[in-house]
Amino acid sequence: QKEVEQDPGPLSVPEGAIVSLNCTYSNSAFQYFMWYRQYSRKGPELLMYTYSSGNKEDGRFTAQVDKSSKYISLFIRDSQPSDSATYLCAMSRGGGADGLTFGKGTHLIIQP
Amino acid sequence: DGGITQSPKYLFRKEGQNVTLSCEQNLNHDAMYWYRQDPGQGLRLIYYSQIVNDFQKGDIAEGYSVSREKKESFPLTVTSAQKNPTAFYLCASSGVGVTNEKLFFGSGTQLSVL
């Protein structure tokens, strides 16, 4: 079993829909959870950063972490065509980014 | 503007040739990283450095070398020993303390074999 599992998609939804992106993981020692957005042939940019379980909201984006289920989610409300990108989840035990484990990314397409 | 600059954007390597990818940051970050991204594979850590003149191997260091002579610079050399070098290479940096998991990425270098 891989440490971090993420459905590669593509996930195609109409503009204005609520998008749900998810990752599951197997290492119960992970404490820090991140979501990165990557446009084609660009570097990833950090969207959300969460420590331990709970929710975090930033504008149209909400990150949820359920450590008991080893499951994290990113919700995008009122999705826009500009949200079309690959979304990577990442997580670590703490102590530095050299311990980050990335998911393979989900390719999201928002249809105008 | 503060950020990470990678160059060149595209690079071609002939068989048996070593090539060097440049990475410069002006974020005053102590730690720097090199990742390789292949289609459908996600990001894999090649090398990282937490301080000048020190660096550690990541998960896939074979066929690569790095140096960290200055805080701002972390060049990656893809040697002829790397038999499958075609990939998208990403440089990143992070601070220290409670935010040291937050990576800031450059715009990447696409390396292809001629």
Side-chain angles (χ1 to χ4, degrees):
Chain A
Q1 181 186 11
K2 291 184 170 56
E3 272 203 302
V4 178
E5 300 272 9
Q6 186 176 10
D7 187 334
L11 174 63
S12 183
V13 302
E15 182 177 355
I18 296 174
V19 175
S20 173
L21 302 167
N22 311 293
C23 288
T24 59
Y25 62 95
S26 58
N27 190 340
S28 58
F30 286 143
Q31 297 187 81
Y32 297 86
F33 304 90
M34 285 139 277
W35 286 95
Y36 286 84
R37 177 176 63 194
Q38 184 178 24
Y39 292 111
S40 181
R41 289 302 164 204
K42 300 290 185 186
E45 57 178 320
L46 182 64
L47 273 181
M48 302 292 283
Y49 175 87
T50 310
Y51 171 70
S52 193
S53 284
N55 294 359
K56 184 173 184 179
E57 187 173 322
D58 184 2
R60 295 185 296 112
F61 299 90
T62 299
Q64 284 187 352
V65 175
D66 182 350
K67 290 187 69 179
S68 63
S69 301
K70 296 189 181 68
Y71 188 88
I72 70 171
S73 301
L74 177 70
F75 297 96
I76 307 175
R77 291 182 299 281
D78 187 25
S79 56
Q80 305 294 313
S82 59
D83 294 327
S84 298
T86 296
Y87 290 79
L88 300 155
C89 64
M91 47 199 79
S92 81
R93 297 177 296 277
D98 55 289
L100 271 180
T101 300
F102 284 86
K104 293 184 177 182
T106 298
H107 182 44
L108 174 65
I109 301 168
I110 307 298
Q111 303 164 337
Chain B
D1 288 332
I4 301 178
T5 301
Q6 287 188 242
S7 62
K9 192 171 178 66
Y10 299 96
L11 187 58
F12 297 91
R13 193 192 87 167
K14 295 179 181 178
E15 195 167 333
Q17 185 182 41
N18 292 353
V19 292
T20 298
L21 285 61
S22 171
C23 179
E24 303 276 335
Q25 57 101 356
N26 60 6
L27 299 168
N28 199 33
H29 284 166
D30 286 301
M32 297 187 74
Y33 312 81
W34 275 105
Y35 285 89
R36 170 177 171 143
Q37 187 174 34
D38 296 275
Q41 290 273 4
L43 274 66
R44 293 183 289 169
L45 183 62
I46 304 172
Y47 268 99
Y48 64 98
S49 167
Q50 295 179 321
I51 196 169
V52 174
N53 291 324
D54 189 43
F55 47 83
Q56 283 77 42
K57 293 181 180 180
D59 302 318
I60 54 165
E62 187 175 347
Y64 300 97
S65 66
V66 293
S67 63
R68 186 85 186 279
E69 296 177 3
K70 299 187 300 181
K71 185 175 181 178
E72 300 80 17
S73 179
F74 192 40
L76 173 74
T77 296
V78 184
T79 74
S80 57
Q82 173 50 244
K83 297 307 180 188
N84 184 23
T86 297
F88 191 54
Y89 290 86
L90 288 159
C91 179
S93 69
S94 68
V96 295
V98 296
T99 62
N100 59 359
E101 280 84 7
K102 293 183 180 181
L103 287 175
F104 292 81
F105 285 89
S107 56
T109 293
Q110 174 65 48
L111 175 62
S112 303
V113 176
L114 287 176

